[in-house]
Amino acid sequence: MPQIDFRALFETLPSPHMVLDRDLCFVEANLAYQRVTERTRDQLIGGNIFDLFPNPGEGGRRLRASLERVLTTGESDTLALIPYAIPLPVSRGGGFEMRFWSAVHTPLFNSEGEVAYVLQNTVDVTEIQRLKDMAFGPPGQAEAPLESATQLYQRAQELQETNLILVEETNQIRNLFMQAPGFMAVLIGPDLVFRLVNNAYQSLIGGRAVIGRPLAEALPELEGQHFQNILQEVMVTGQPYLGRAASVMLQRQAKGPPEERFLDFIYQPILDARGAPWGVFVEGSDVTDRVRAEQQQKLLLDELNHRVKNTLATVQAIAAQTLRTTASPAAFREAFEARLMALSSTHDLLTQSVWQGAPLKDVILMELRPHGAERYQLEGPEVALSPAETLTLGLVFHELVTNAAKYGALSTSEGCVRVRWDVRGDTGHPRLYLTWSEDGGPPVSPPVRQGFGSRLIERSLQGDIDGKASLEFAPGGLKCHLRLRLSAQRAGDEAAA
């Protein structure tokens, strides 16, 4: 026979249930109780019922007496009708609302047979009592005629239909809120406690449970990022705040590092009837992809301007090398034209690979081939690159080859470039490790200042392809170490010649 999950059963009971200990403090409350009292479980557990729901009047005295009878006698007690005001949350303007309840208090015993807890089951009968008062008047008055009872029945039917419509409309609004493409949240009070968040907001913060928790506790990584200060300023001044492409570091994975996201957002104060702010409505969209695309576009434009100069330098280097290795003007012309055509072909391949991807070996060769097969050595397995990886590595190798032709191994007749790489990790998370090393060129010393080419090599891999590059200015020749996570699997394991 299958086991019954009594906790799940308690949570989903349609009527409000809660459990108090002998000090009349909340031990448990189901979802129906949380809804009817407009309190979260975290706001209830551990709190005394008369501190959370104070009532010094007759209703409070009757409730306390009933609970104490159960604790003293160990017998159930019923309150057929009890008026009891419920404190309204700040979101509804504060104050109190008089409600009428029917309550049953049941003792729960420990292993020694002593009353340890009291289980309360309540039913909100406010509307029934109000309709009864409308039809028959308050207790002590003469009963209304039969026509009033008929009107009461009609009024009850109308009220039920209206409630069904309101419930349906509320659910529709909630669904729209939850499914909205932009992220939305509602924070209330001076501590900025989360009251509502939609699906997009949950996705942005990695699905963490934040309802009922202050901002500083729910998203501790925001400390020092000024967002909490801005929210508190909105609460104080009542003035909205608009953010554009704001950078924020979010802990989107429990064990992962903080991740930078870029957000467009507005903090809109929520005002009460007197115009005083009691909360903040947060709405916005994640524009990280757009910002990174703009950054990449700027990088490409800068690279285009830089590449024009580098291309001229490459042509000069090819011409100088060709002159050193040819015996006649005719031979020079033939060799020089061939290398210029090879340079043009490599540029064509780079343009195509932006859209289609390419093998790693081809991306390297498109820059090295114009300098002659005797000037380089390649060693590593076949690796298929994605379009983004092809574009980024094409820029990196172009800078490395240009630098080698101007200042390094390719600027002399004896110099050589060696490129070695391998892939580590399983097919689900492969990583490429590549080393570019030069020898036979002029002595190398670290540059006095970092040029555009060095910045491009070190920073271009840090974007969407999750890579890293480092330059080592060894006296015998430049070394460059590249590491990146591959999005495409290797095409094979054959070593490149």
Side-chain angles (χ1 to χ4, degrees):
M1 184 173 181
Q3 295 293 321
I4 298 175
D5 187 342
F6 285 99
R7 179 169 184 81
L9 176 63
F10 176 80
E11 284 289 337
T12 57
L13 285 171
S15 60
H17 285 72
M18 61 84 163
V19 180
L20 300 175
D21 62 16
R22 294 193 63 87
D23 295 324
L24 303 182
C25 293
F26 281 91
V27 175
E28 194 53 84
N30 72 348
L31 294 175
Y33 190 91
Q34 295 172 43
R35 284 194 295 269
V36 77
T37 59
E38 299 190 47
R39 300 293 188 277
T40 66
R41 184 177 182 277
D42 290 342
Q43 292 171 328
L44 293 170
I45 301 305
N48 185 279
I49 186 172
F50 294 105
D51 291 338
L52 294 173
F53 305 107
N55 188 332
E58 178 64 21
R61 289 192 291 271
R62 289 178 58 193
L63 176 60
R64 185 185 292 273
S66 175
L67 293 169
E68 290 177 349
R69 276 196 298 274
V70 174
L71 291 171
T72 301
T73 67
E75 298 179 356
S76 297
D77 192 70
T78 300
L79 295 173
L81 182 68
I82 175 173
Y84 205 101
I86 294 296
L88 293 176
V90 179
S91 60
R92 294 180 56 190
F96 291 82
E97 179 182 16
M98 178 58 70
R99 310 294 294 177
F100 293 87
W101 310 87
S102 178
V104 177
H105 296 138
T106 304
L108 301 177
F109 300 92
N110 60 21
S111 58
E112 285 77 29
E114 301 170 336
V115 179
Y117 305 100
V118 178
L119 170 67
Q120 183 193 77
N121 171 217
T122 54
V123 178
D124 188 344
V125 294
T126 303
E127 294 301 330
I128 296 175
Q129 182 62 32
R130 287 175 180 171
L131 289 173
K132 181 179 178 182
D133 291 344
M134 289 170 58
F136 304 107
Q141 289 188 2
E143 292 190 358
L146 181 61
E147 290 80 3
S148 295
T150 303
Q151 292 172 358
L152 168 63
Y153 177 73
Q154 293 174 344
R155 172 63 177 147
Q157 283 187 316
E158 293 173 359
L159 181 62
Q160 183 179 19
E161 293 172 358
T162 300
N163 285 341
L164 289 174
I165 293 173
L166 290 175
V167 168
E168 183 179 356
E169 290 178 348
T170 300
N171 288 337
Q172 290 175 351
I173 293 173
R174 180 177 178 82
N175 288 337
L176 288 174
F177 174 84
M178 295 301 294
Q179 299 173 20
F183 62 80
M184 291 188 287
V186 174
L187 300 99
I188 61 173
D191 292 332
L192 302 169
V193 176
F194 279 98
R195 180 64 183 273
L196 291 172
V197 293
N198 72 344
N199 296 336
Y201 195 97
Q202 286 276 256
S203 176
L204 178 68
I205 63 174
R208 282 176 281 180
V210 297
I211 298 299
R213 301 174 64 188
L215 178 66
E217 175 188 324
L219 304 177
E221 69 270 27
L222 294 183
E223 177 70 25
Q225 296 193 57
H226 308 299
F227 293 98
Q228 187 165 356
N229 293 338
I230 297 172
L231 284 163
Q232 289 172 340
E233 185 176 350
V234 172
M235 285 286 292
V236 172
T237 65
Q239 298 298 315
Y241 179 88
L242 186 65
R244 294 288 188 187
S247 172
V248 57
M249 301 299 294
L250 291 173
Q251 191 79 30
R252 305 187 73 201
Q253 297 182 7
K255 297 183 179 180
E259 179 181 339
E260 184 179 29
R261 309 299 293 180
F262 295 90
L263 309 177
D264 284 349
F265 65 89
I266 184 170
Y267 292 158
Q268 183 70 43
I270 305 173
L271 308 178
D272 61 19
R274 297 167 298 175
W278 57 265
V280 180
F281 178 71
V282 177
E283 190 274 331
S285 55
D286 187 339
V287 295
T288 303
D289 291 342
R290 187 196 75 197
V291 170
R292 287 180 176 165
E294 290 172 351
Q295 291 175 341
Q296 182 71 2
Q297 184 181 44
K298 182 179 184 303
L299 181 67
L300 291 175
L301 288 174
D302 290 343
E303 165 61 17
L304 179 62
N305 294 329
H306 188 62
R307 178 165 287 207
V308 171
K309 298 177 181 178
N310 282 350
T311 300
L312 293 175
T314 300
V315 171
Q316 286 180 317
I318 292 173
Q321 294 169 35
T322 306
L323 278 172
R324 286 196 295 266
T325 57
T326 54
S328 66
F332 166 78
R333 177 179 177 179
E334 181 179 355
F336 183 61
E337 287 182 351
R339 288 178 174 172
L340 285 183
M341 291 301 297
L343 180 63
S344 175
S345 297
T346 61
H347 281 223
D348 291 340
L349 176 62
L350 178 61
T351 302
Q352 295 170 6
S353 67
V354 173
W355 304 106
Q356 301 175 6
L360 171 63
K361 181 181 176 182
D362 289 353
V363 176
I364 301 173
L365 285 176
M366 73 182 181
E367 297 295 343
L368 283 174
R369 187 178 285 119
H371 297 274
E374 72 281 1
R375 308 303 303 279
Y376 57 85
Q377 295 177 6
L378 308 183
E379 181 181 346
E382 291 291 338
V383 177
L385 300 177
S386 69
E389 293 162 354
T390 301
L391 173 61
T392 300
L393 290 179
L395 298 178
V396 169
F397 289 125
H398 178 80
E399 292 302 323
L400 289 170
V401 170
T402 299
N403 182 77
K406 293 167 69 174
Y407 313 112
L410 299 181
S411 67
T412 66
S413 58
E414 297 82 14
C416 181
V417 172
R418 293 179 176 83
V419 186
R420 294 183 175 86
W421 67 89
D422 65 348
V423 177
R424 306 171 193 171
D426 55 38
T427 56
H429 302 86
R431 283 189 173 274
L432 173 67
Y433 292 81
L434 182 145
T435 299
W436 167 289
S437 58
E438 302 177 21
D439 57 53
V444 174
S445 59
V448 177
R449 63 181 182 85
Q450 189 180 40
F452 176 82
S454 298
R455 292 198 305 272
L456 176 68
I457 292 171
E458 292 182 347
R459 298 180 185 178
S460 60
L461 273 74
Q462 297 175 3
D464 293 336
I465 67 171
D466 188 20
K468 183 177 181 181
S470 61
L471 296 174
E472 178 185 345
F473 296 94
L478 175 70
K479 292 182 182 295
C480 178
H481 304 280
L482 306 180
R483 183 182 67 196
L484 67 141
R485 179 181 297 170
L486 295 170
S487 60
Q489 294 185 358
R490 288 184 290 172
D493 290 324
E494 288 186 20

